Amino acid sequence: MTDNIGAQAASAVDETIREYRALQEVMNTLRSDLGTLMAQRNENEMVKQELDVCDQEASEGGEAVVYKQVGPVLIKHDLEEARETVDKRLEFISGEIKKTESIISKKDQLSQQLASKIQEMQSAMQKAAVEATKAITQQAS
């Protein structure tokens, strides 16, 4: 172990900075995941709107046919069953969005705390360096 207090402080700051950067990478991944979830939600909301159009056509006496892709094949799908599936999917995606936003919020708070800690540590190191310089200057005089 080194006896140099400055080196120990610098090492502690470096470790905290590494921790901060790792946290930022996690947050970037979470934000990317959130973007994917929002895109999925938008797609499913568009499908729901299309199903509403199909409902309207069926109520006007037209034939509303919905197909579901299963592998390479399109299979006729019941309109109500399709609506229920989309509603459940939207419910699930909304839950995942809320969960991801909550995690991002917690990680953001932790990130801010780490940033403050880094600033405090660097400030303390600068203050110690100034004090050490003063002490060396007084000894030389």
Side-chain angles (χ1 to χ4, degrees):
M1 179 142 175
T2 184
D3 291 334
N4 186 340
I5 295 172
Q8 291 173 353
S11 176
V13 169
D14 288 344
E15 180 60 34
T16 306
I17 289 172
R18 275 193 289 280
E19 188 179 336
Y20 178 80
R21 287 184 180 148
L23 183 60
Q24 291 299 311
E25 287 180 29
V26 169
M27 287 179 59
N28 287 339
T29 302
L30 287 168
R31 286 188 179 110
S32 174
D33 292 348
L34 183 62
T36 301
L37 287 167
M38 288 183 163
Q40 289 175 344
R41 182 179 63 189
N42 290 340
E43 287 174 14
N44 280 281
E45 285 174 349
M46 287 173 38
V47 169
K48 188 175 182 179
Q49 290 172 357
E50 289 295 320
L51 291 175
D52 289 341
V53 170
C54 289
D55 260 350
Q56 194 174 21
E57 286 178 11
S59 68
E60 293 172 356
E63 185 179 351
V65 180
V66 178
Y67 292 94
K68 177 180 182 178
Q69 184 174 1
V70 180
V73 180
L74 289 177
I75 298 174
K76 238 182 197 183
H77 196 59
D78 179 54
L79 184 59
E80 276 309 307
E81 191 176 324
R83 179 177 302 290
E84 288 173 14
T85 301
V86 171
D87 286 341
K88 286 179 187 175
R89 202 176 300 143
L90 280 168
E91 201 175 302
F92 173 77
I93 292 170
S94 292
E96 288 297 307
I97 287 173
K98 286 178 185 173
K99 184 171 82 173
T100 303
E101 286 174 339
S102 172
I103 293 170
I104 288 173
S105 176
K106 289 176 186 172
K107 297 283 185 191
D108 191 42
Q109 288 174 352
L110 180 58
S111 174
Q112 289 174 5
Q113 289 172 353
L114 279 175
S116 293
K117 182 178 178 182
I118 290 169
Q119 287 176 338
E120 289 170 9
M121 292 170 82
Q122 288 175 335
S123 177
M125 282 177 47
Q126 288 173 347
K127 186 176 180 181
V130 168
E131 294 298 322
T133 304
K134 285 181 183 177
I136 290 172
T137 305
Q138 287 177 353
Q139 286 178 354
S141 301

